[in-house]
């Protein structure tokens, strides 16, 4: 299994996304079973947010992690930009901790940039880390200019990760954000790595090259898409799976490695960016 280091923890590079989990009572038990199956298969990182179902995802996680040791897991939560200032951040963090049923998060992210000054958010995040409520903090939906701005702030370089949209069909961040992050040793957390089951462009699952590579590896095209996001170091990928079989397939995909020819073939189908593109966001 491919591994990634975040805040000195060596973690399996396939984690668990949780957006929309817990939204429906009819699928809830299956979703809990899917999260547990992923953990039993070897996943350790769970990505949630106060925004997801206004706490429903956090609540589902609290139930799903019951059988496991908290210290074995690495739980990521996110604060909404409107709550990321002195007035609200600690209160929102306390609420999220209560929802998940834990007394600390391993990583707490600013979900995206809003109108509260970044410097104020960093001060609050640092304060929360000193209080022990979070082990580390990071950002999400930050582009290169945002990272550079963050690095200029006092303690801004304590940020341990940036979570951005990244999949075969959305390679824009390879132009200058991933190189900047590698230079500064900031891991990428790749969200929507399956392009939301190829519902964004619809160009992936029917692609012949992708299908052929999947056959080579006795894998599904989704497993190939996922393994591709972690083909290089310093990337954690967080697919969401509400179905147990998908959850296990995703963790297993962490073992797939590609030949140079396969990577070249994929880049011919899904080219790397040749110029700066606006940051893709969902
Ligand atoms: N920071 C941010 O702003 C941000 C934004 C978006 C997402 N995220 C995070 O990233 C996570 C993943 O992104 P996402 O939920 O947008 O989409 P995604 O992971 O790209 O795709 C999820 C979809 O793929 C399906 N799927 C999962 N594994 C599969 C497999 N092995 N074979 C076939 N289909 C499979 C799922 O189906 P089933 O559910 O039916 O299994 C679901 O429909 C989120 O859950 C969230 O934690 C963060």
């Amino acid at each position: 299994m491919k591994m990634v280091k975040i805040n000195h923890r060596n973690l399996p590079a396939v984690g668990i996304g949780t957006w929309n989990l817990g939204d429906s009572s009819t699928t809830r038990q299956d979703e809990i079973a899917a999260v547990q199956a992923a953990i039993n298969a070897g996943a350790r990182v769970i990505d949630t947010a106060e925004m997801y179902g206004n706490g429903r995802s956090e609540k589902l996680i609290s139930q799903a992690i019951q059988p496991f040791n908290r210290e074995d897991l690495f739980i990521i939560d996110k604060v909404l930009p409107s709550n990321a200032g002195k007035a609200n951040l600690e209160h929102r963090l306390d609420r999220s901790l209560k929802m998940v049923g834990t007394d600390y998060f391993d990583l707490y992210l600013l979900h995206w940039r809003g109108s509260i000054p970044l410097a104020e958010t960093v001060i609050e995040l640092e304060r929360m880390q000193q209080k022990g409520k979070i082990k580390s903090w990071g950002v999400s939906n930050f582009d290169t200019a945002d990272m550079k701005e963050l690095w200029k702030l006092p303690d801004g370089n304590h940020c341990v990760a940036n979570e951005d949209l990244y999949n075969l069909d959305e390679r824009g961040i390879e132009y200058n954000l991933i190189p900047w992050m590698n230079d500064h040793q900031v891991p990428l957390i790749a969200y929507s790595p399956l392009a939301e089951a190829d519902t964004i462009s619809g160009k992936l699952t029917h692609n012949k090259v992708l299908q052929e590579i999947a056959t080579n590896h006795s894998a599904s095209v989704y497993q190939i898409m996922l393994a591709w996001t972690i083909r290089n170091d310093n990337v954690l990928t967080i697919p969401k799976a509400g179905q147990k079989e998908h959850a296990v397939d995703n963790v297993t995909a962490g073992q797939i490695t590609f030949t140079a020819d396969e990577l070249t073939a994929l880049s011919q189908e899904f080219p790397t960016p040749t110029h700066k593109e606006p940051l893709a966001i969902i």
Side-chain angles (χ1 to χ4, degrees):
M1 160 68 84
K2 180 111 187 172
M3 304 293 282
V4 60
K5 196 174 261 190
I6 302 182
N7 191 33
H8 315 294
R9 281 274 300 271
N10 235 352
L11 299 161
V14 178
I16 303 168
T18 69
W19 192 14
N20 299 318
L21 294 187
D23 283 356
S24 153
S25 57
T26 49
T27 51
R28 187 182 175 82
Q29 287 313 317
D30 288 343
E31 291 167 352
I32 289 172
V35 171
Q36 293 179 336
I39 299 171
N40 283 325
R44 290 293 172 266
V45 182
I46 301 173
D47 177 85
T48 186
E50 62 168 339
M51 188 194 90
Y52 299 166
N54 189 25
R56 285 193 294 271
S57 157
E58 294 174 321
K59 273 193 152 168
L60 181 132
I61 296 310
S62 85
Q63 207 178 330
I65 62 175
Q66 287 299 320
F68 304 98
N69 286 331
R70 171 66 185 90
E71 310 78 55
D72 292 339
L73 303 173
F74 187 98
I75 304 180
I76 305 173
D77 207 302
K78 308 184 202 80
V79 63
L80 282 168
S82 52
N83 294 328
K86 192 170 164 39
N88 288 322
L89 188 139
E90 183 165 13
H91 165 66
R92 298 307 294 191
L93 171 57
D94 287 343
R95 180 179 182 267
S96 287
L97 289 168
K98 200 168 167 199
M99 288 283 191
V100 177
T102 182
D103 49 15
Y104 68 93
F105 289 125
D106 297 279
L107 176 57
Y108 196 48
L109 306 177
L110 170 62
H111 209 147
W112 65 89
R113 283 195 76 166
S115 55
I116 290 172
L118 200 47
E120 182 178 331
T121 300
V122 172
I123 290 170
E124 286 309 296
L125 290 168
E126 285 283 307
R127 207 166 64 79
M128 294 307 102
Q129 191 171 332
Q130 274 149 25
K131 280 191 159 190
K133 294 185 181 188
I134 57 176
K135 300 265 189 218
S136 63
W137 62 265
V139 293
S140 177
N141 297 301
F142 268 43
D143 204 346
T144 322
D146 302 306
M147 295 306 289
K148 287 181 178 169
E149 192 181 327
L150 179 59
W151 247 241
K152 284 189 189 138
L153 296 174
D155 301 326
N157 65 357
H158 293 178
C159 164
V160 304
N162 179 21
E163 181 170 313
D164 280 337
L165 178 63
Y166 187 55
N167 58 55
L168 256 178
D169 213 18
E170 287 287 357
R171 301 183 65 167
I173 59 173
E174 287 177 30
Y175 186 71
N176 68 3
L177 178 59
I178 291 182
W180 187 95
M181 288 168 60
N182 284 339
D183 284 350
H184 294 79
Q185 295 174 330
V186 180
L188 169 70
I189 303 175
Y191 78 66
S192 305
L194 303 171
E196 304 206 313
D198 196 21
T199 56
I200 301 177
S201 74
K203 286 194 286 186
L204 293 153
T205 39
H206 300 295
N207 182 275
K208 293 273 175 274
V209 171
L210 203 40
Q211 287 175 345
E212 200 180 304
I213 294 172
T215 306
N216 293 349
H217 289 270
S218 305
S220 70
V221 284
Y222 289 103
Q223 287 178 301
I224 298 302
M225 285 158 61
L226 195 59
W228 177 89
T229 59
I230 51 169
R231 69 199 181 288
N232 296 323
D233 293 338
N234 294 324
V235 184
L236 168 75
T237 193
I238 47 165
K240 171 256 173 183
Q243 300 179 52
K244 213 170 160 179
E245 298 71 24
H246 288 168
V248 174
D249 280 355
N250 292 343
V251 180
T252 314
Q255 289 163 9
I256 297 172
T257 52
F258 299 104
T259 64
D261 286 350
E262 287 173 337
L263 290 175
T264 304
L266 285 172
S267 282
Q268 274 160 3
E269 296 297 303
F270 305 98
T272 52
T274 52
H275 57 274
K276 183 71 184 164
E277 296 168 6
L279 184 69
I281 286 176
I282 284 185

